[in-house]
Amino acid sequence: MSDVTARAAAGFSSAFGAEPAGLWAAPGRVNLIGEHTDYNDGFVLPFALPHRTVVAAAPLPSPRWRVWSEQSDETIEFDAAQADQPGKIDGWAGYVAGVVWALRSAGHDVPGASLAVASDVPAGAGLSSSAALESAVLTALADLGGLAVPVAERPELAQRAENDYVGMPCGIMDQSASIRAEAGHALFLDCRTLEIEQIPFDVASSGLAVLVVDTRAPHRHAGGEYASRRRACEEAAALLGVPALRDVEDLDAALAALPDEVMRRRVRHVVTEDQRVLDTVELLRAGRVREIGPLLTASHASMRDDFEITVPEVDLAVSTALAAGAYGARMTGGGFGGCVLALVDADALDAVAAAVAAGYAERAFTAPVWFAARPGAGAERVG
């Protein structure tokens, strides 16, 4: 039993005075490439982290839910009437209530339950701790209630919880990675059709590693910035007469047709980022892992210059990693803080991380935290 699984089980016993009926886990994710393409019906290539949120749970005889979190050490209770009102339950428990609401809205008889939550997914780092929570809770409730919810349909339900209950207008990438990823693979997802392909991503066999640096820059985009980027993309698609920016075939003509320079930059990022995802997938299918590096770096430049979602800590981590020998580096996640990933030689992992830390010290930034990311498994029962 992993440490976080043991903590969830112990937390359940302490909070509710009984043993859980089972334990379920779902991972955070790193997006290898494909940022802000998901809500534009485009392509993404995330992989699941070994870091997980674990839910220990047991059924209750009536439709009410008691949820304890180790992070806040508090227990929140709500009933069906509260769960059926989007936004009624806020804070961290809102993600749990949102899953109950999404399942009930889809016609499922969601069992009442006691749930205890523990996690080692870093919160606020752009590694999708919210999707990990939603996915773990959804998996637990589906199993406890014997609900007929096909795995392929679960990401949409978890996304609804975040979009329509919590009020964060995220795309479907995070929940898809948390639920459908496989160990040793990146998840190639077509966000329009929801078709997936498991792309082998065994960096170790190529003598490589993926360094993830948590820049410790606050990662907050539930408010205006993320929403404004999405709105600009949707307005541009309407002006161009296409269902979504994924459908732009002639980028130069599209840019010439748009009235606003900011909108042109947003469109250029999305269209070129989609192509970078497709190019990365082709290289990985051919086993040419090292060659994806320039695509990662180009993705970062596009996010910095065209989508304008990076911050100084993020840009410094990328430039320092590249100067220290990384094959490619980019911000990962929605932006305005969070994490950077870098493709490095495995034996250079510590040296590149140390270079980033030294660069931060010189600029008096908060010291970063780093780890080597290995593609993990999606949501599952673990006990």
Side-chain angles (χ1 to χ4, degrees):
M1 182 179 290
S2 70
D3 177 60
V4 67
T5 303
R7 298 201 315 265
F12 188 97
S13 298
S14 176
F16 304 119
E19 294 300 309
L23 297 112
W24 291 264
R29 65 95 187 94
V30 162
N31 189 23
L32 184 60
I33 194 165
E35 226 63 78
H36 289 265
T37 50
D38 56 352
Y39 57 77
N40 289 292
D41 281 1
F43 306 99
V44 293
L45 191 64
F47 62 88
L49 291 170
H51 303 70
R52 292 179 155 201
T53 293
V54 179
V55 170
L60 289 173
S62 61
R64 62 190 180 93
W65 294 268
R66 306 184 298 175
V67 193
W68 172 87
S69 165
E70 71 167 357
Q71 186 173 16
S72 63
D73 193 25
E74 63 177 337
T75 300
I76 304 294
E77 298 192 24
F78 57 92
D79 59 21
Q82 293 169 307
D84 288 347
Q85 299 178 62
K88 181 70 173 180
I89 306 299
D90 58 11
W92 63 268
Y95 294 93
V96 180
V99 170
V100 173
W101 169 81
L103 285 166
R104 286 172 59 86
S105 296
H108 297 288
D109 186 12
V110 184
S114 300
L115 307 103
V117 180
S119 182
D120 61 7
V121 181
L127 301 177
S128 204
S129 57
S130 59
L133 175 58
E134 294 154 1
S135 301
V137 169
L138 193 156
T139 306
L141 293 176
D143 280 4
L144 284 177
L147 307 183
V149 189
V151 171
E153 296 176 10
R154 295 182 183 189
E156 290 181 274
L157 290 169
Q159 182 196 18
R160 283 200 70 207
E162 190 151 349
N163 286 177
D164 300 333
Y165 195 96
V166 176
M168 168 60 195
C170 65
I172 200 167
M173 173 182 68
D174 296 347
Q175 294 82 5
S176 294
S178 191
I179 290 170
R180 305 190 73 184
E182 292 184 1
H185 294 76
L187 184 79
F188 178 38
L189 171 67
D190 181 328
C191 296
R192 170 170 288 166
T193 67
L194 302 185
E195 292 178 358
I196 64 168
E197 180 183 349
Q198 304 290 344
I199 305 295
F201 188 52
D202 181 6
V203 290
S205 66
S206 300
L208 301 171
V210 176
L211 169 68
V212 175
V213 178
D214 180 353
T215 68
R216 308 303 292 278
H219 179 265
R220 303 184 185 96
H221 57 59
E225 293 291 349
Y226 185 104
S228 74
R229 298 307 188 279
R230 181 166 186 164
R231 187 165 53 251
C233 292
E234 292 168 348
E235 289 174 357
L239 286 171
L240 294 170
V242 293
L245 294 185
R246 176 242 183 87
D247 300 297
V248 171
E249 296 181 356
D250 186 334
L251 178 58
D252 290 339
L255 297 180
L258 293 171
D260 177 83
E261 175 57 28
V262 172
M263 187 176 285
R264 286 193 286 270
R265 290 201 299 268
R266 304 297 185 253
V267 170
R268 183 165 55 226
H269 165 73
V270 173
V271 175
T272 59
E273 185 80 344
D274 267 334
Q275 188 59 52
R276 283 187 287 270
V277 175
L278 298 177
D279 292 344
T280 299
V281 167
E282 286 303 310
L283 288 170
L284 292 180
R285 283 176 179 150
R288 296 157 60 187
V289 181
R290 192 173 275 100
E291 295 177 46
I292 72 172
L295 293 166
L296 304 181
T297 304
S299 172
H300 183 79
S302 183
M303 289 187 286
R304 181 192 64 216
D305 301 335
D306 280 343
F307 225 61
E308 298 178 286
I309 55 174
T310 70
V311 295
E313 294 93 331
V314 163
D315 292 332
L316 179 63
V318 168
S319 62
T320 305
L322 292 170
Y327 294 101
R330 67 183 291 273
M331 186 191 69
T332 182
F336 312 104
C339 286
V340 162
L341 63 81
L343 184 67
V344 302
D345 287 320
D347 58 9
L349 189 76
D350 291 340
V352 175
V356 174
Y360 270 49
E362 289 178 11
R363 293 278 295 274
F365 289 157
T366 301
V369 176
W370 65 274
F371 60 90
R374 298 175 183 85
E380 60 185 347
R381 183 167 183 164
V382 294

